[in-house]
């Protein structure tokens, strides 16, 4: 589903050049549930943004569903983001003046689905998230967990192949965080590939594979079954 | 892009509502620009109408010609001699000047000196008596209210008929009377009224014209013993021939026929309407250009204001645009959105300017006609529909341009940078 080969990315700011990703090689199979960990500045968000075609890369090859994604026109990128990818952000990124239903329906608006039809679909997804009775509330009338479930509903409505979540539990308490992870697991069970960027160990522990980044390279890849072994290594280290 | 999608309008409404005062002031710039443009165009048109109406429907290529005292001795005649045009001059002009379209010899009877010269039963009045040919009414038309004007048979048979102005009718008849086929006595001679007219000019000019009585030119000559005398000429040039050419040729011919020195500039007086008209047309063209330049300048200032505000709006919404792009908005849809917003703002504001401007002009017009203040300088300020449509079109184009730069800017930012914006 996702294939990264020798991905390099640097940010140029005036004379300074910050080399963030220094050759990332990663294969993600369809239907995997993966977390990316690493200290701040390790490049985990940058990696996620490249996979989400929100940012470009300097070197290497990135394939999404077999297609090479490189120097893509903004129009085509928009199509990919709309049809292939669903985003979930730490700060939810909901549109404040649209109610819950309209927020969820937005991706379908860009697919030129009629208003009645897309609102109907949005209601289905709200129902799935247990937010039916909140459909006509504005985002600022919802709790953090509700907002994030709203954002997840929005990311799912266009039937994406991949969900990319950047610190989805960062703004939530631990109980809600675990609820959110259950939700992600359920979504994953329907066959959707999920990539989560997080720095919380218990969150990463809920995923099938943990990718640790350090200074722009992959430090280790740990399968969930080897978690105990990995944990003990952590203790020893 | 679907134009009538509620989400699009919701977004626009929200963006404008967010800062009502700012939206208002921005819109006011455009409103004021169009308002001023409309008022100025209307006022210019009023000035134009006023001056044009002063001339009625008079042919703009006409020339008037009359005799004066000579100023140069010639062929044994002393200076200061007075002479008159006559019927054979009329024929000679017709025969020798092919550029001539219409020529109307004219002769004036009495009137204007306050003596009552026209009588009907016990009513009397002092009116100007004009001897005219049918051609004259092609050169300087009046509005026929009843009956007919003078025709060629009247001229040939020297009929004693009269066409009276409305003022004459008001003075000699009661309002419910039928003037046609009634007789009036003009300086002791009875004339049958065959028509009634009204001036097409305004104010003083109209007043003067409405108290005239037209009788056939030949009748006036014979009945009042003028012989073959012609008072003065009205003439027009054929199409595409400058009136001044006819004026020059006619003068030369008339001078030769009356033994006037060819260099005597004073002996034959003339007035060339075409020259005056052209000056006027040039003046009004100039005024109109000035109005458009100043008006569109004012409008431009307003539109730049809109562009400026749109830049701020785009800046404020950077994150929102980032979100939209992350979930699949194409650059085209974002550009379209911003441009529609800008066009909407300018068009609505401009529309109010248009309506209020036209309203004010109409009100002014009403006041002018009600109070009778519409003078020969200012009549019926108005703007025509075409001009209003043109102004609105300018607005739409200007709104598009005003939205273009901010819109381009909005999509030039990478989605990820837009998302990070706080």
């Amino acid at each position: 589903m996702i294939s990264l080969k020798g991905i390099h990315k640097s940010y140029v700011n005036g004379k300074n050049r910050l080399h963030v990703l220094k050759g990332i090689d990663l294969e993600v199979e369809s239907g995997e549930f993966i977390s990316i960990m690493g200290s701040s500045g390790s490049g985990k968000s940058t990696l996620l943004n490249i996979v989400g075609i929100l940012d470009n890369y300097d070197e290497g090859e990135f394939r999404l569903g077999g297609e090479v994604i490189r120097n893509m026109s903004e129009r085509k990128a928009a199509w990919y983001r709309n049809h292939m990818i669903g985003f979930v952000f730490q700060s939810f990124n909901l549109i404040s003046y649209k109610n819950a239903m309209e927020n969820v329906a937005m991706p379908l608006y860009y697919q030129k689905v009629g208003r009645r039809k897309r609102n109907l679909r949005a209601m289905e997804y709200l129902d799935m998230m247990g937010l039916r009775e909140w459909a006509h509330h504005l985002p600022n009338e919802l709790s953090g967990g509700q907002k994030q479930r709203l954002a997840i509903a929005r990311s799912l409505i266009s039937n994406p192949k991949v969900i990319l979540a950047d610190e989805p539990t960062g703004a939530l308490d631990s109980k809600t965080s675990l609820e959110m992870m259950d939700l992600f697991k359920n979504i994953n069970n329907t066959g959707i590939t999920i990539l989560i960027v997080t720095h919380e160990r218990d969150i990463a522990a809920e995923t099938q594979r943990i990718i640790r980044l350090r200074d722009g390279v992959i430090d280790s890849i740990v399968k969930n079954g080897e978690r105990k072994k990995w944990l003990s290594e952590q203790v020893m280290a | 892009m679907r134009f009538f999608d509620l989400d699009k309008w919701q977004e626009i409404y929200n963006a404008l509502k967010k800062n009502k005062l700012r939206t208002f002031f921005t819109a006011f710039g455009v409103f004021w620009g169009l308002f001023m443009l409309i008022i100025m165009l209307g006022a210019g048109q009023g000035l134009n109408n006023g001056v044009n109406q002063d001339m009625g429907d008079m042919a703009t290529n006409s020339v008037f010609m009359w005799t004066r005292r000579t100023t140069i001795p010639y062929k044994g005649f002393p200076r200061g001699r007075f002479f008159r045009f006559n019927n054979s001059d009329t024929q000679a002009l017709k025969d020798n000047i092919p550029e001539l379209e219409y020529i109307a010899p004219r002769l004036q009877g009495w009137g204007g000196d306050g003596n009552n010269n026209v009588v009907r039963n016990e009513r009397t009045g002092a009116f100007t008596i004009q001897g005219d040919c049918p051609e004259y009414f092609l050169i300087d038309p009046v509005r026929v209210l009843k009956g007919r004007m003078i025709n060629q048979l009247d001229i040939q048979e020297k009929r004693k008929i009269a066409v009276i102005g409305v003022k004459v009718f008001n003075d000699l008849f009661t309002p419910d009377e039928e003037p046609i086929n009634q007789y009036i006595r003009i300086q002791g001679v009875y004339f049958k009224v065959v028509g009634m007219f009204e001036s097409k000019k305004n104010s003083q000019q109209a007043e003067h014209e409405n108290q005239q009585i037209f009788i056939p030119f030949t009748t006036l000559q014979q009945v009042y013993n003028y012989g073959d005398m012609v008072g003065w000429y009205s003439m027009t040039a054929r199409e595409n021939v400058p009136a001044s050419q006819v004026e020059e040729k006619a003068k030369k011919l008339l001078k030769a026929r009356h033994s006037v020195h060819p260099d005597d500039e004073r002996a034959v007086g003339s007035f060339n309407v075409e020259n005056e008209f052209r000056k006027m047309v040039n003046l009004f063209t100039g005024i109109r250009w000035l109005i458009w330049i100043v008006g569109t300048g004012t409008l431009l200032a307003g539109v730049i204001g809109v562009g400026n505000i749109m830049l701020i709006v785009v800046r404020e919404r950077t994150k929102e645009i980032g979100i939209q792009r992350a979930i699949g908005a194409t650059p085209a849809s974002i550009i379209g959105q911003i441009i529609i917003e800008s066009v909407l703002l300018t068009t609505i504001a401009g529309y109010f300017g248009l309506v209020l401007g036209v309203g004010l002009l109409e009100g002014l017009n009403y006041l002018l006609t009600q109070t009778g203040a519409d003078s020969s300088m200012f009549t019926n300020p108005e703007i025509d529909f075409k001009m209003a449509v043109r102004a609105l079109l300018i607005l739409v184009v200007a709104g598009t341009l005003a939205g273009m730069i901010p819109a381009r800017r909005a999509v030039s930012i990478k989605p990820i940078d837009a998302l990070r914006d706080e």
Side-chain angles (χ1 to χ4, degrees), chain A:
Chain A
M1 175 56 42
I2 298 165
S3 159
L4 299 161
K5 284 197 186 107
I7 298 292
H8 283 263
K9 170 77 183 173
S10 14
Y11 290 110
V12 180
N13 188 3
K15 276 183 186 170
N16 300 326
R17 193 182 165 86
L18 189 64
H19 204 164
V20 183
L21 297 181
K22 303 167 181 168
I24 300 282
D25 295 293
L26 181 65
E27 294 286 332
V28 178
E29 298 300 320
S30 190
E32 270 197 281
F33 190 6
I34 289 180
S35 57
I36 302 171
M37 290 194 72
S39 54
S40 59
S42 62
K44 55 190 191 303
S45 286
T46 304
L47 184 63
L48 197 79
N49 292 333
I50 288 172
V51 173
I53 330 179
L54 289 173
D55 209 346
N56 48 14
Y57 56 97
D58 303 331
E59 254 177 69
E61 189 189 76
F62 163 42
R63 283 169 183 270
L64 180 65
E67 283 296 316
V68 179
I69 309 291
R70 178 151 189 99
N71 294 334
M72 196 171 254
S73 76
E74 201 27 64
R75 213 185 113 204
K76 211 165 165 210
W79 188 91
Y80 269 95
R81 288 197 286 262
N82 193 219
H83 289 80
M84 299 280 285
I85 303 164
F87 289 97
V88 179
F89 303 94
Q90 176 176 8
S91 54
F92 320 124
N93 283 348
L94 299 164
I95 305 289
S96 59
Y97 56 86
K98 286 180 187 281
N99 67 30
M101 178 183 71
E102 289 165 337
N103 260 294
V104 172
M106 270 182 82
L108 296 182
Y109 172 71
Y110 298 115
Q111 285 184 12
K112 314 219 179 301
V113 175
R115 184 176 177 81
R116 183 189 293 265
K117 206 173 159 194
R118 63 173 190 262
N119 283 347
L120 217 67
R121 286 267 299 280
M123 285 307 280
E124 283 172 31
Y125 278 86
L126 282 175
D127 214 15
M128 213 184 286
M129 297 293 152
L131 290 171
R132 174 171 273 276
E133 55 269 42
W134 298 91
H136 298 287
H137 286 254
L138 293 176
N140 60 11
E141 296 164 343
L142 304 178
S143 72
Q146 285 172 322
K147 280 186 203 168
Q148 198 58 297
R149 273 185 283 161
L150 199 58
I152 292 169
R154 182 180 66 183
S155 72
L156 286 173
I157 197 165
S158 56
N159 280 326
K161 301 281 185 291
V162 184
I163 297 276
L164 301 176
D166 193 355
E167 304 270 10
T169 57
L172 305 176
D173 59 62
S174 55
K175 184 169 166 284
T176 323
S177 294
L178 286 175
E179 280 172 21
M180 215 51 67
M181 288 315 288
D182 286 337
L183 194 57
F184 276 123
K185 273 186 205 161
N186 290 338
I187 294 165
N188 181 242
N189 286 339
T190 66
I192 295 174
T193 314
I194 300 181
L195 249 73
I196 288 184
V197 162
T198 184
H199 60 264
E200 290 169 74
R201 255 180 232 162
D202 355 344
I203 296 301
E206 301 287 325
T207 65
Q208 296 164 1
R209 207 149 56 117
I210 300 166
I211 295 163
R212 274 194 67 97
L213 290 187
R214 178 175 287 168
D215 292 335
V217 289
I218 292 178
D219 187 43
S220 61
I221 298 179
V222 183
K223 283 241 166 72
N224 204 7
E226 303 162 54
R227 181 170 162 243
K228 281 205 177 92
K229 185 182 154 206
W230 175 73
L231 272 177
S232 62
E233 273 174 15
Q234 293 290 307
V235 174
M236 275 156 62

Side-chain angles (χ1 to χ4, degrees), chain B residues 75-92:
Chain B
K75 286 189 178 169
F77 291 112
R79 63 195 292 261
R81 175 173 61 101
F82 200 76
F83 64 102
R84 288 289 194 182
F85 297 146
N86 54 45
N87 286 351
S88 58
D89 288 331
T90 311
Q91 198 54 48

